[in-house]
Amino acid sequence: MTPIPASARPRQVDGLVNLSLAEVEALTRQVLVHHQLAPTHSDALTDIIVAAERDECASHGVYRLAGLVRTMNSGKVNLSATPHVRTDETSIVRVDADGGFSPLAFNMGAPELAKKAHRHGIAAMAINRCVHFTALWPEVEALADQGIVSLAMTPSHSWVAPAGGKRPLFGTNPFAFGWPRLHGNPYVFDFATSMVARGEVELHRQNGKPIPPGWALDPDGNPTTDASLAMAGALLTFGGHKGSALSTMIELLAGPLIGDLTSAESADFDGGAKAAPYHGELIIALSPDVFLGEAKSEYLQRAETLLADIVSQGARLPSQRRFEARERTVSDGVWLTRIQYDIIKTLI
Ligand code: NDP
Ligand code: PYC
Protein backbone atom coordinates (compact mmCIF):
# COMPACT_ATOMS: atom_id res chain seq x y z
CA MET A 1 0.00 0.00 0.00
CA THR A 2 1.32 3.47 -0.86
CA PRO A 3 2.31 5.39 2.28
CA ILE A 4 0.39 8.58 2.96
CA PRO A 5 2.75 11.56 3.25
CA ALA A 6 2.79 13.18 6.70
CA SER A 7 1.42 16.39 5.13
CA ALA A 8 -1.76 14.53 4.07
CA ARG A 9 -2.70 13.38 7.57
CA PRO A 10 -5.22 12.32 9.12
CA ARG A 11 -4.02 9.29 7.12
CA GLN A 12 -7.31 7.44 6.67
CA VAL A 13 -8.20 5.55 3.51
CA ASP A 14 -11.10 3.18 2.77
CA GLY A 15 -11.80 2.17 6.36
CA LEU A 16 -8.10 1.98 7.25
CA VAL A 17 -6.01 4.19 9.50
CA ASN A 18 -2.24 4.55 9.12
CA LEU A 19 -0.10 4.92 12.26
CA SER A 20 3.66 5.21 12.57
CA LEU A 21 5.33 2.66 14.84
CA ALA A 22 5.98 5.49 17.31
CA GLU A 23 2.24 6.24 17.35
CA VAL A 24 1.42 2.56 17.88
CA GLU A 25 3.86 2.52 20.76
CA ALA A 26 2.43 5.65 22.39
CA LEU A 27 -1.16 4.44 22.00
CA THR A 28 -0.38 0.99 23.40
CA ARG A 29 1.47 2.32 26.41
CA GLN A 30 -1.30 4.85 27.06
CA VAL A 31 -3.93 2.09 27.22
CA LEU A 32 -1.86 -0.14 29.50
CA VAL A 33 -0.84 2.63 31.89
CA HIS A 34 -4.41 3.97 31.96
CA HIS A 35 -5.52 0.57 33.28
CA GLN A 36 -2.92 0.64 36.07
CA LEU A 37 -0.42 -1.84 34.69
CA ALA A 38 2.96 -1.36 36.41
CA PRO A 39 5.59 0.45 34.27
CA THR A 40 7.89 -2.60 33.99
CA HIS A 41 5.04 -4.66 32.55
CA SER A 42 3.70 -1.80 30.42
CA ASP A 43 7.13 -1.49 28.81
CA ALA A 44 7.46 -5.24 28.18
CA LEU A 45 3.93 -5.54 26.76
CA THR A 46 4.32 -2.42 24.62
CA ASP A 47 7.51 -3.79 23.09
CA ILE A 48 5.89 -7.07 22.15
CA ILE A 49 2.67 -5.53 20.79
CA VAL A 50 4.60 -3.00 18.71
CA ALA A 51 6.84 -5.81 17.40
CA ALA A 52 3.71 -7.69 16.28
CA GLU A 53 2.35 -4.64 14.44
CA ARG A 54 5.80 -3.94 12.96
CA ASP A 55 5.85 -7.49 11.55
CA GLU A 56 2.20 -7.31 10.43
CA CYS A 57 1.04 -10.03 12.80
CA ALA A 58 -2.41 -8.58 13.35
CA SER A 59 -3.70 -11.41 15.56
CA HIS A 60 -1.17 -10.51 18.29
CA GLY A 61 -0.83 -6.77 17.86
CA VAL A 62 -3.00 -3.89 19.10
CA TYR A 63 -6.11 -6.01 18.52
CA ARG A 64 -5.13 -7.67 21.83
CA LEU A 65 -5.57 -4.43 23.80
CA ALA A 66 -9.33 -4.85 24.30
CA GLY A 67 -8.81 -8.36 25.70
CA LEU A 68 -5.93 -7.13 27.85
CA VAL A 69 -8.10 -4.39 29.34
CA ARG A 70 -10.77 -7.02 30.06
CA THR A 71 -8.08 -9.18 31.68
CA MET A 72 -6.70 -6.30 33.76
CA ASN A 73 -10.20 -5.37 34.95
CA SER A 74 -11.11 -8.98 35.75
CA GLY A 75 -8.73 -9.37 38.68
CA LYS A 76 -7.20 -12.40 36.90
CA VAL A 77 -3.77 -10.80 36.47
CA ASN A 78 -1.38 -9.29 38.99
CA LEU A 79 -0.78 -5.80 37.60
CA SER A 80 2.36 -5.23 39.65
CA ALA A 81 3.74 -8.78 39.62
CA THR A 82 7.42 -9.27 40.40
CA PRO A 83 8.74 -12.30 38.50
CA HIS A 84 11.21 -14.37 40.47
CA VAL A 85 14.01 -16.23 38.65
CA ARG A 86 15.32 -19.38 40.35
CA THR A 87 18.38 -21.29 39.25
CA ASP A 88 20.39 -24.14 40.75
CA GLU A 89 23.12 -26.50 39.52
CA THR A 90 20.77 -28.20 37.03
CA SER A 91 20.19 -26.95 33.50
CA ILE A 92 16.68 -25.77 34.37
CA VAL A 93 15.71 -22.14 34.97
CA ARG A 94 12.44 -21.56 36.76
CA VAL A 95 10.63 -18.25 36.59
CA ASP A 96 7.64 -17.67 38.83
CA ALA A 97 5.71 -14.93 37.02
CA ASP A 98 3.78 -14.10 40.19
CA GLY A 99 0.47 -14.10 38.34
CA GLY A 100 1.59 -11.35 35.97
CA PHE A 101 1.84 -11.14 32.19
CA SER A 102 4.51 -13.39 30.66
CA PRO A 103 6.76 -10.96 28.68
CA LEU A 104 8.57 -9.51 31.72
CA ALA A 105 9.05 -13.01 33.16
CA PHE A 106 10.61 -14.14 29.86
CA ASN A 107 12.85 -11.07 29.67
CA MET A 108 14.10 -11.66 33.21
CA GLY A 109 14.73 -15.39 32.78
CA ALA A 110 16.18 -15.42 29.25
CA PRO A 111 19.74 -14.34 30.19
CA GLU A 112 19.97 -17.23 32.69
CA LEU A 113 18.58 -19.64 30.11
CA ALA A 114 21.17 -18.51 27.55
CA LYS A 115 23.96 -18.83 30.12
CA LYS A 116 22.93 -22.38 31.01
CA ALA A 117 22.55 -23.41 27.36
CA HIS A 118 26.04 -22.11 26.63
CA ARG A 119 27.37 -24.01 29.64
CA HIS A 120 25.50 -27.35 29.35
CA GLY A 121 24.64 -27.48 25.63
CA ILE A 122 20.97 -27.84 26.47
CA ALA A 123 18.86 -26.00 29.02
CA ALA A 124 15.20 -25.34 29.65
CA MET A 125 13.20 -22.53 31.16
CA ALA A 126 9.84 -23.10 32.82
CA ILE A 127 7.79 -19.96 33.26
CA ASN A 128 5.04 -20.60 35.79
CA ARG A 129 1.92 -18.75 36.88
CA CYS A 130 1.86 -16.35 33.95
CA VAL A 131 -0.96 -14.70 32.03
CA HIS A 132 -0.12 -15.36 28.39
CA PHE A 133 -1.36 -13.61 25.26
CA THR A 134 1.68 -13.18 23.00
CA ALA A 135 3.13 -14.74 19.88
CA LEU A 136 6.23 -16.83 20.61
CA TRP A 137 8.52 -15.75 17.76
CA PRO A 138 9.92 -12.72 19.65
CA GLU A 139 11.27 -15.16 22.25
CA VAL A 140 12.94 -17.65 19.90
CA GLU A 141 14.29 -14.73 17.85
CA ALA A 142 15.81 -13.17 20.96
CA LEU A 143 17.56 -16.46 21.73
CA ALA A 144 18.71 -16.90 18.12
CA ASP A 145 20.30 -13.45 18.38
CA GLN A 146 22.51 -15.00 21.06
CA GLY A 147 23.45 -17.96 18.85
CA ILE A 148 20.97 -20.33 20.49
CA VAL A 149 18.60 -22.79 18.83
CA SER A 150 15.30 -22.95 20.71
CA LEU A 151 11.80 -24.36 20.90
CA ALA A 152 9.00 -22.62 22.77
CA MET A 153 5.51 -23.83 23.58
CA THR A 154 2.56 -22.94 25.76
CA PRO A 155 -1.07 -24.02 26.30
CA SER A 156 -3.92 -21.46 26.31
CA HIS A 157 -7.64 -21.91 27.12
CA SER A 158 -9.51 -25.03 25.95
CA TRP A 159 -10.82 -23.87 22.57
CA VAL A 160 -9.77 -26.74 20.28
CA ALA A 161 -11.27 -30.21 19.78
CA PRO A 162 -8.94 -33.23 19.57
CA ALA A 163 -8.97 -34.92 16.14
CA GLY A 164 -12.05 -37.14 16.04
CA GLY A 165 -13.69 -35.24 18.91
CA LYS A 166 -16.17 -32.37 18.94
CA ARG A 167 -15.67 -30.63 22.24
CA PRO A 168 -12.99 -28.09 23.11
CA LEU A 169 -10.16 -29.55 25.19
CA PHE A 170 -6.80 -28.27 23.93
CA GLY A 171 -5.62 -24.72 23.72
CA THR A 172 -4.56 -23.19 20.43
CA ASN A 173 -1.13 -24.23 21.77
CA PRO A 174 1.54 -22.42 19.76
CA PHE A 175 4.88 -24.01 18.90
CA ALA A 176 7.89 -21.93 17.84
CA PHE A 177 11.38 -22.81 16.66
CA GLY A 178 14.35 -20.53 16.16
CA TRP A 179 17.64 -21.35 14.38
CA PRO A 180 20.45 -18.77 14.21
CA ARG A 181 21.86 -18.40 10.70
CA LEU A 182 25.36 -17.53 9.60
CA HIS A 183 24.15 -14.19 8.21
CA GLY A 184 21.02 -12.13 8.66
CA ASN A 185 17.71 -13.08 10.20
CA PRO A 186 17.26 -16.46 11.90
CA TYR A 187 15.12 -19.28 10.56
CA VAL A 188 11.95 -19.06 12.67
CA PHE A 189 8.55 -20.64 12.56
CA ASP A 190 5.78 -20.05 15.04
CA PHE A 191 2.28 -21.41 14.63
CA ALA A 192 -0.80 -22.42 16.55
CA THR A 193 -1.45 -26.18 16.57
CA SER A 194 -5.07 -25.33 15.83
CA MET A 195 -5.79 -24.59 12.15
CA VAL A 196 -5.18 -20.97 13.02
CA ALA A 197 -4.78 -18.77 16.09
CA ARG A 198 -8.07 -17.95 17.76
CA GLY A 199 -7.17 -14.28 17.41
CA GLU A 200 -7.43 -14.75 13.65
CA VAL A 201 -10.97 -16.13 14.01
CA GLU A 202 -11.91 -13.17 16.20
CA LEU A 203 -10.55 -10.76 13.58
CA HIS A 204 -12.74 -12.47 10.96
CA ARG A 205 -15.72 -12.04 13.29
CA GLN A 206 -14.86 -8.40 13.95
CA ASN A 207 -14.58 -7.66 10.22
CA GLY A 208 -17.80 -9.54 9.38
CA LYS A 209 -15.99 -12.18 7.31
CA PRO A 210 -16.65 -15.94 7.19
CA ILE A 211 -13.80 -18.28 8.10
CA PRO A 212 -12.60 -20.89 5.58
CA PRO A 213 -14.16 -24.37 5.75
CA GLY A 214 -12.14 -26.80 7.87
CA TRP A 215 -11.19 -24.41 10.63
CA ALA A 216 -13.93 -25.03 13.18
CA LEU A 217 -17.05 -26.73 14.50
CA ASP A 218 -20.15 -24.97 15.82
CA PRO A 219 -21.44 -25.65 19.37
CA ASP A 220 -23.38 -28.70 18.05
CA GLY A 221 -20.19 -30.18 16.60
CA ASN A 222 -21.03 -29.41 12.96
CA PRO A 223 -18.54 -27.79 10.56
CA THR A 224 -19.01 -24.04 10.35
CA THR A 225 -17.69 -21.03 8.45
CA ASP A 226 -19.38 -18.61 10.86
CA ALA A 227 -16.66 -17.01 13.01
CA SER A 228 -19.02 -16.34 15.97
CA LEU A 229 -20.26 -19.94 15.97
CA ALA A 230 -16.66 -21.14 15.71
CA MET A 231 -15.73 -19.14 18.79
CA ALA A 232 -18.68 -20.58 20.66
CA GLY A 233 -17.86 -24.10 19.41
CA ALA A 234 -14.41 -25.57 18.82
CA LEU A 235 -11.47 -24.93 16.52
CA LEU A 236 -9.88 -27.92 14.76
CA THR A 237 -6.24 -28.95 14.99
CA PHE A 238 -4.03 -28.51 11.90
CA GLY A 239 -3.03 -31.73 10.15
CA GLY A 240 -5.77 -33.82 11.78
CA HIS A 241 -4.39 -36.42 14.20
CA LYS A 242 -0.82 -35.10 13.78
CA GLY A 243 -1.64 -31.61 15.01
CA SER A 244 -3.77 -33.19 17.71
CA ALA A 245 -0.79 -35.19 18.98
CA LEU A 246 1.49 -32.14 18.87
CA SER A 247 -1.11 -30.18 20.78
CA THR A 248 -1.29 -32.96 23.38
CA MET A 249 2.50 -32.90 23.69
CA ILE A 250 2.40 -29.15 24.37
CA GLU A 251 -0.32 -29.62 27.01
CA LEU A 252 1.87 -32.24 28.72
CA LEU A 253 5.28 -30.54 28.44
CA ALA A 254 4.18 -26.98 29.18
CA GLY A 255 1.54 -28.12 31.70
CA PRO A 256 2.03 -31.08 34.07
CA LEU A 257 5.78 -31.46 33.37
CA ILE A 258 6.52 -27.94 34.59
CA GLY A 259 3.95 -28.07 37.38
CA ASP A 260 1.39 -25.85 35.74
CA LEU A 261 -2.13 -25.81 34.27
CA THR A 262 -3.49 -27.46 31.15
CA SER A 263 -5.69 -25.40 28.82
CA ALA A 264 -8.82 -26.95 30.35
CA GLU A 265 -7.59 -26.02 33.83
CA SER A 266 -6.76 -22.51 32.62
CA ALA A 267 -10.35 -22.15 31.34
CA ASP A 268 -11.65 -23.40 34.71
CA PHE A 269 -9.51 -20.81 36.48
CA ASP A 270 -10.98 -18.17 34.17
CA GLY A 271 -14.48 -19.09 35.24
CA GLY A 272 -16.15 -17.20 32.38
CA ALA A 273 -14.26 -13.93 32.94
CA LYS A 274 -12.93 -14.10 29.33
CA ALA A 275 -9.49 -13.05 30.54
CA ALA A 276 -6.26 -14.10 28.80
CA PRO A 277 -5.12 -17.65 29.64
CA TYR A 278 -3.22 -18.33 32.86
CA HIS A 279 -0.71 -21.21 32.85
CA GLY A 280 2.98 -21.91 32.12
CA GLU A 281 5.39 -21.88 29.22
CA LEU A 282 8.36 -24.11 28.37
CA ILE A 283 11.38 -22.95 26.38
CA ILE A 284 14.13 -25.39 25.43
CA ALA A 285 17.49 -23.92 24.41
CA LEU A 286 20.36 -25.67 22.61
CA SER A 287 23.84 -24.32 21.99
CA PRO A 288 25.44 -25.23 18.62
CA ASP A 289 28.78 -24.21 20.17
CA VAL A 290 28.55 -26.99 22.75
CA PHE A 291 26.97 -29.58 20.42
CA LEU A 292 29.46 -29.00 17.61
CA GLY A 293 32.58 -27.42 19.05
CA GLU A 294 35.10 -26.79 16.30
CA ALA A 295 32.82 -28.37 13.70
CA LYS A 296 30.21 -25.64 14.24
CA SER A 297 30.93 -23.50 11.19
CA GLU A 298 31.03 -26.53 8.87
CA TYR A 299 27.63 -27.79 10.05
CA LEU A 300 25.98 -24.39 10.18
CA GLN A 301 27.11 -23.96 6.58
CA ARG A 302 25.41 -27.27 5.73
CA ALA A 303 22.27 -25.96 7.39
CA GLU A 304 22.51 -22.93 5.10
CA THR A 305 22.59 -25.28 2.10
CA LEU A 306 19.37 -26.91 3.26
CA LEU A 307 17.62 -23.56 3.71
CA ALA A 308 18.89 -22.31 0.35
CA ASP A 309 17.54 -25.46 -1.31
CA ILE A 310 14.07 -24.63 0.04
CA VAL A 311 14.16 -21.14 -1.40
CA SER A 312 15.69 -22.21 -4.72
CA GLN A 313 12.53 -24.24 -5.43
CA GLY A 314 10.43 -21.09 -5.20
CA ALA A 315 9.20 -21.93 -1.70
CA ARG A 316 9.48 -19.32 0.98
CA LEU A 317 10.90 -19.66 4.47
CA PRO A 318 8.60 -19.12 7.43
CA SER A 319 9.06 -15.61 8.86
CA GLN A 320 10.15 -14.25 5.47
CA ARG A 321 6.84 -12.37 5.24
CA ARG A 322 7.43 -10.92 8.71
CA PHE A 323 10.97 -9.84 7.97
CA GLU A 324 9.81 -8.13 4.78
CA ALA A 325 7.00 -6.38 6.66
CA ARG A 326 9.55 -5.27 9.28
CA GLU A 327 11.60 -3.47 6.62
CA ARG A 328 8.50 -1.74 5.26
CA THR A 329 6.62 -0.67 8.37
CA VAL A 330 9.57 1.18 9.88
CA SER A 331 9.13 3.83 7.18
CA ASP A 332 5.53 3.32 6.03
CA GLY A 333 3.84 2.74 9.38
CA VAL A 334 1.06 0.19 9.92
CA TRP A 335 -2.52 0.04 8.75
CA LEU A 336 -5.27 -0.65 11.29
CA THR A 337 -8.89 -1.10 10.35
CA ARG A 338 -11.01 1.87 11.35
CA ILE A 339 -13.04 -0.59 13.49
CA GLN A 340 -9.89 -1.62 15.34
CA TYR A 341 -8.69 1.93 15.82
CA ASP A 342 -12.07 3.06 17.18
CA ILE A 343 -12.15 0.13 19.63
CA ILE A 344 -8.71 1.09 20.97
CA LYS A 345 -9.77 4.71 21.42
CA THR A 346 -12.61 3.56 23.68
CA LEU A 347 -10.06 1.92 26.01
CA ILE A 348 -8.41 5.16 27.10
P1 NDP B 1 0.07 -18.78 10.57
O1 NDP B 1 -0.65 -19.99 10.16
O2 NDP B 1 -0.27 -17.49 9.91
O3 NDP B 1 1.68 -18.90 10.36
C1 NDP B 1 2.44 -19.58 11.19
C2 NDP B 1 3.88 -19.74 10.67
O4 NDP B 1 3.91 -20.27 9.35
C3 NDP B 1 4.67 -18.45 10.60
O5 NDP B 1 5.99 -18.71 10.99
C4 NDP B 1 4.54 -18.07 9.15
O6 NDP B 1 5.56 -17.19 8.68
C5 NDP B 1 4.63 -19.40 8.48
N1 NDP B 1 4.03 -19.44 7.16
C6 NDP B 1 2.80 -19.04 6.79
N2 NDP B 1 2.60 -19.25 5.47
C7 NDP B 1 3.74 -19.81 5.01
C8 NDP B 1 4.17 -20.26 3.72
N3 NDP B 1 3.37 -20.18 2.66
N4 NDP B 1 5.41 -20.76 3.59
C9 NDP B 1 6.23 -20.85 4.67
N5 NDP B 1 5.89 -20.43 5.90
C10 NDP B 1 4.67 -19.92 6.06
O7 NDP B 1 -0.05 -18.56 12.14
P2 NDP B 1 -1.06 -19.07 13.26
O8 NDP B 1 -2.39 -18.45 13.08
O9 NDP B 1 -0.96 -20.53 13.41
O10 NDP B 1 -0.34 -18.37 14.54
C11 NDP B 1 -0.14 -16.96 14.57
C12 NDP B 1 0.50 -16.56 15.87
O11 NDP B 1 -0.36 -16.79 16.94
C13 NDP B 1 1.81 -17.25 16.22
O12 NDP B 1 2.81 -16.26 16.30
C14 NDP B 1 1.56 -17.88 17.58
O13 NDP B 1 2.63 -17.79 18.51
C15 NDP B 1 0.40 -17.05 18.08
N6 NDP B 1 -0.40 -17.81 19.04
C16 NDP B 1 -0.21 -17.58 20.38
C17 NDP B 1 -0.93 -18.31 21.30
C18 NDP B 1 -0.72 -18.17 22.76
O14 NDP B 1 -1.32 -18.89 23.52
N7 NDP B 1 0.12 -17.30 23.24
C19 NDP B 1 -1.93 -19.30 20.87
C20 NDP B 1 -1.99 -19.48 19.45
C21 NDP B 1 -1.27 -18.75 18.58
P3 NDP B 1 5.19 -15.62 8.38
O15 NDP B 1 4.89 -15.04 9.74
O16 NDP B 1 6.40 -15.06 7.72
O17 NDP B 1 3.98 -15.63 7.48
O1 PYC C 1 -4.80 -16.40 19.20
O2 PYC C 1 -5.19 -18.43 19.90
C1 PYC C 1 -4.78 -17.29 20.07
C2 PYC C 1 -4.20 -16.93 21.39
C3 PYC C 1 -4.44 -17.51 22.58
C4 PYC C 1 -3.69 -16.84 23.51
C5 PYC C 1 -3.01 -15.87 22.87
N1 PYC C 1 -3.32 -15.95 21.56
Side-chain angles (χ1 to χ4, degrees), residues 31 78 85 109 254 269 311 334:
V31 171
N78 180 353
V85 181
F269 172 82
V311 177
V334 301

Side-chain angles (χ1 to χ4, degrees), residues 300-322:
L300 289 193
Q301 187 56 57
R302 288 164 75 163
E304 290 301 316
T305 303
L306 172 80
L307 298 177
D309 284 349
I310 297 174
V311 177
S312 69
Q313 297 192 19
R316 79 152 164 101
L317 297 181
S319 295
Q320 185 184 317
R321 180 201 60 78
R322 278 195 307 107

Side-chain angles (χ1 to χ4, degrees), residues 59-60 64 132-134 155-157 159 172 192 194 196-200 235 277:
S59 67
H60 288 79
R64 290 278 158 190
H132 206 296
F133 73 95
T134 71
S156 58
H157 279 330
W159 288 316
T172 42
S194 45
V196 70
R198 186 172 152 101
E200 196 58 50
L235 300 185

